[in-house]
Amino acid sequence: MFKSWKEDIATVKSRDPAAKSNLEIMLLYPGLKAIRMYRKAHWFYMHNMHFIARAISQHCVRKTNIEIHPAAKIGKRFFIDHGTGVVIGETTEIGDDVTIYQGVTLGGTGKDTGKRHPTIGNGVLIGSGAKVLGPLKVGDNSNIASGAVVLTDIPESCTAVGVPARVVKRDGVRLDYLDQVHIPDPVAQAFFNLRDRVDSLEKEIDDMREKNENI
């Protein structure tokens, strides 16, 4: 247990420059509180004490405004920054070294049964307000930009942007510490490419017209 606490605190300290001391992290960080309470609830859930598990989960919501279903599967060194409004659904699976920000929803898309929530790979970063919905997969080391709505699978080492989210791939290499302001815009890039193509076609037409006039 002490080893787990130590790892959780070290995770917060390494990813949040605002963290000043171990005591501050232990007592004042809602994300850390939510993760600790989730682990207790998950233990009860896995031992078929579902009512107690849900009671702990709902107590966590009242204390932190973070809702993690006790049946969700979460890996090591999970970090919730700020955390207000975070919702993690029942069949969600989260890998190791994942970071999410406030307002993130890892949810379903309806009343389907079975696996209906996302599977998040290792090393994924999900920006504030992003929604990842349905039984899709987000590959290892990918970034989900702030405000994105992800409805389809995201490959490894990509950045997903927009509503619905589109993938912007940077040579297969993850963009570490995603800039939440200066994010790529695939729609704008498509317009720029289209404009370049139109300019190229207009030049070809002008060249052909000039050639015909000289004949």
Side-chain angles (χ1 to χ4, degrees), residues 33-102:
K33 290 180 182 178
I35 293 167
R36 303 302 301 183
M37 295 176 77
Y38 152 77
R39 288 180 183 154
K40 292 178 185 177
H42 184 69
W43 187 91
F44 281 106
Y45 194 92
M46 297 306 293
H47 289 81
N48 295 316
M49 290 180 272
H50 295 171
F51 183 85
I52 296 175
R54 287 307 300 267
I56 295 171
S57 174
Q58 291 306 302
H59 179 62
C60 175
V61 176
R62 291 191 294 272
K63 282 183 70 73
T64 66
N65 202 18
I66 298 170
E67 182 170 358
I68 306 175
H69 194 285
K73 298 176 182 178
I74 299 176
K76 298 177 181 178
R77 297 175 295 279
F78 180 48
F79 177 45
I80 304 174
D81 198 359
H82 299 292
T84 300
V86 166
V87 177
I88 299 174
E90 179 183 11
T91 60
T92 301
E93 297 177 46
I94 299 174
D96 298 335
D97 302 301
V98 172
T99 299
I100 67 176
Y101 288 84
Q102 67 273 14

Side-chain angles (χ1 to χ4, degrees), residues 1-195:
M1 182 177 176
F2 178 76
K3 183 179 179 182
S4 177
W5 262 109
K6 193 173 180 181
E7 186 175 57
D8 288 340
I9 292 169
T11 297
V12 175
K13 223 169 186 181
S14 67
R15 300 188 208 170
D16 184 3
K20 298 296 188 290
S21 68
N22 292 348
L23 184 63
E24 177 187 21
I25 294 169
M26 288 176 62
L27 299 180
L28 303 178
Y29 270 62
L32 182 60
K33 290 180 182 178
I35 293 167
R36 303 302 301 183
M37 295 176 77
Y38 152 77
R39 288 180 183 154
K40 292 178 185 177
H42 184 69
W43 187 91
F44 281 106
Y45 194 92
M46 297 306 293
H47 289 81
N48 295 316
M49 290 180 272
H50 295 171
F51 183 85
I52 296 175
R54 287 307 300 267
I56 295 171
S57 174
Q58 291 306 302
H59 179 62
C60 175
V61 176
R62 291 191 294 272
K63 282 183 70 73
T64 66
N65 202 18
I66 298 170
E67 182 170 358
I68 306 175
H69 194 285
K73 298 176 182 178
I74 299 176
K76 298 177 181 178
R77 297 175 295 279
F78 180 48
F79 177 45
I80 304 174
D81 198 359
H82 299 292
T84 300
V86 166
V87 177
I88 299 174
E90 179 183 11
T91 60
T92 301
E93 297 177 46
I94 299 174
D96 298 335
D97 302 301
V98 172
T99 299
I100 67 176
Y101 288 84
Q102 67 273 14
V104 167
T105 298
L106 305 179
T109 57
K111 296 183 179 180
D112 297 334
T113 57
K115 175 64 172 168
R116 60 191 189 280
H117 298 98
T119 297
I120 309 298
N122 299 324
V124 171
L125 184 150
I126 306 178
S128 57
K131 314 300 176 189
V132 186
L133 306 176
L136 56 85
K137 294 183 179 180
V138 177
D140 294 349
N141 301 315
S142 285
N143 293 317
I144 308 300
S146 297
V149 178
V150 181
L151 302 174
T152 57
D153 289 354
I154 304 298
E156 294 184 4
S157 303
C158 289
T159 297
V161 179
V163 181
R166 296 173 176 83
V167 169
V168 177
K169 195 167 185 177
R170 293 291 181 87
D171 300 322
V173 179
R174 175 187 169 171
L175 304 176
D176 286 325
Y177 306 109
L178 177 65
D179 184 339
Q180 299 292 317
V181 178
H182 303 98
I183 55 178
D185 185 345
V187 176
Q189 289 176 358
F191 277 118
F192 291 146
N193 292 337
L194 182 59
R195 185 188 64 185

Side-chain angles (χ1 to χ4, degrees), residues 193-210:
N193 292 337
L194 182 59
R195 185 188 64 185
D196 290 343
R197 179 59 177 159
V198 169
D199 290 343
S200 176
L201 290 173
E202 286 180 344
K203 187 177 185 306
E204 287 183 23
I205 293 171
D206 289 340
D207 290 344
M208 290 176 61
R209 184 181 295 119
E210 184 178 347

